[in-house]
Amino acid sequence: NAGVTQTPKFQVLKTGQSMTLQCAQDMNHEYMSWYRQDPGMGLRLIHYSVGAGITDQGEVPNGYNVSRSTTEDFPLRLLSAAPSQTSVYFCASSSGLAGVVIDNEQFFGPGTRLTVL
Amino acid sequence: AQKVTQAQTEISVVEKEDVTLDCVYETRDTTYYLFWYKQPPSGELVFLIRRNSFDEQNEISGRYSWNFQKSTSSFNFTITASQVVDSAVYFCALSEPYFTGANNLFFGTGTRLTVIP
């Protein structure tokens, strides 16, 4: 098992550009999520999904878009990058069924370091 | 609202000293989970422990121990005989799966531990 994979590892964007951060897991996990980590602020939830076709907003969703067309993939789209989106982005997954909450250990990807100039 | 407070921003200890990292939380539910994660300088997030709100037994794993006290809403983490490899940022996190319907984590701001050889 590869676990949770994220691509790219590093990315530099110019203000206004758009891009997609990729996240994939091969553990058949229903729950997937995106967090951003900023200095002194810990990790904050951007968006999450409890199953294919179901997404919802977290604490800091503005400027980001997500979709979940398959169980394996949960891409995060930056619509028009801003310097305030410079951060490290982590994707996570855990087992659980849509409509049935089973809380388990969350598996984190290695992170994507994004810089917006 | 849910809240996780890690009041210690940075701690430095000399190798072989014991160190306790504090975590105080606020929750909206009677059933919740608490976590500790380690983030070494390489940047990945390493799961250390998960504890549910019904299990107040202290836990020991090698040099690591955790003290969960519902009466004071605290979940403190102690490293005994610290080593240089323990140098990292440590995050405490809270999950309220039955309140939110999802496995979302709410993180504290982290404590940076430096162990001086």
Side-chain angles (χ1 to χ4, degrees):
Chain A
N1 282 356
V4 180
T5 58
Q6 291 183 237
T7 55
K9 287 191 187 316
F10 302 94
Q11 183 70 49
V12 179
L13 293 177
K14 295 181 180 178
T15 296
Q17 286 184 316
S18 62
M19 80 158 295
T20 299
L21 306 185
Q22 301 291 345
C23 174
Q25 52 88 13
D26 60 359
M27 298 172 281
N28 202 33
H29 283 167
E30 292 290 336
Y31 175 86
M32 295 185 74
S33 56
W34 278 100
Y35 295 85
R36 60 177 289 172
Q37 181 180 12
D38 302 298
M41 302 192 72
L43 282 79
R44 293 179 293 168
L45 182 66
I46 305 171
H47 284 285
Y48 65 96
S49 168
V50 297
I54 306 170
T55 64
D56 207 344
Q57 297 181 352
E59 185 184 355
V60 288
N62 292 342
Y64 306 95
N65 202 0
V66 292
S67 59
R68 184 95 180 272
S69 55
T70 68
T71 299
E72 294 77 22
D73 301 297
F74 191 43
L76 178 72
R77 297 181 187 84
L78 280 70
L79 308 172
S80 177
S84 61
Q85 294 179 303
T86 294
S87 188
V88 179
Y89 292 85
F90 287 97
C91 179
S93 75
S94 69
S95 63
L97 300 175
V100 177
V101 177
I102 302 174
D103 194 52
N104 279 294
E105 175 188 348
Q106 299 227 16
F107 295 80
F108 281 87
T112 294
R113 185 174 295 273
L114 176 68
T115 301
V116 183
L117 303 174
Chain B
Q2 82 276 33
K3 187 175 182 181
V4 176
T5 302
Q6 295 181 256
Q8 305 151 307
T9 305
E10 296 192 26
I11 301 176
S12 292
V13 298
V14 177
E15 200 171 21
K16 297 184 183 175
E17 287 184 344
D18 299 347
V19 59
T20 295
L21 310 183
D22 297 332
C23 174
V24 175
Y25 63 92
E26 294 178 27
T27 179
R28 301 166 290 186
D29 203 352
T30 55
T31 302
Y32 53 91
Y33 292 77
L34 295 163
F35 298 76
W36 276 94
Y37 284 87
K38 174 183 180 180
Q39 187 175 46
S42 51
E44 75 272 22
L45 286 161
V46 178
F47 168 80
L48 296 178
I49 190 172
R50 179 187 66 222
R51 177 53 52 88
N52 73 55
S53 53
F54 296 110
D55 183 1
E56 288 193 71
Q57 281 194 343
N58 291 334
E59 179 149 343
I60 298 174
S61 176
R63 296 184 297 108
Y64 295 170
S65 62
W66 290 268
N67 183 5
F68 177 30
Q69 291 195 330
K70 286 177 73 172
S71 61
T72 56
S73 297
S74 64
F75 187 44
N76 297 337
F77 172 33
T78 297
I79 301 175
T80 303
S82 60
Q83 300 176 1
V84 172
V85 294
D86 296 327
S87 296
V89 180
Y90 291 87
F91 291 100
C92 181
L94 167 70
S95 175
E96 303 166 310
Y98 300 101
F99 188 89
T100 63
N103 293 341
N104 302 339
L105 290 176
F106 192 84
F107 284 84
T109 52
T111 297
R112 180 179 298 279
L113 173 65
T114 301
V115 180
I116 302 164

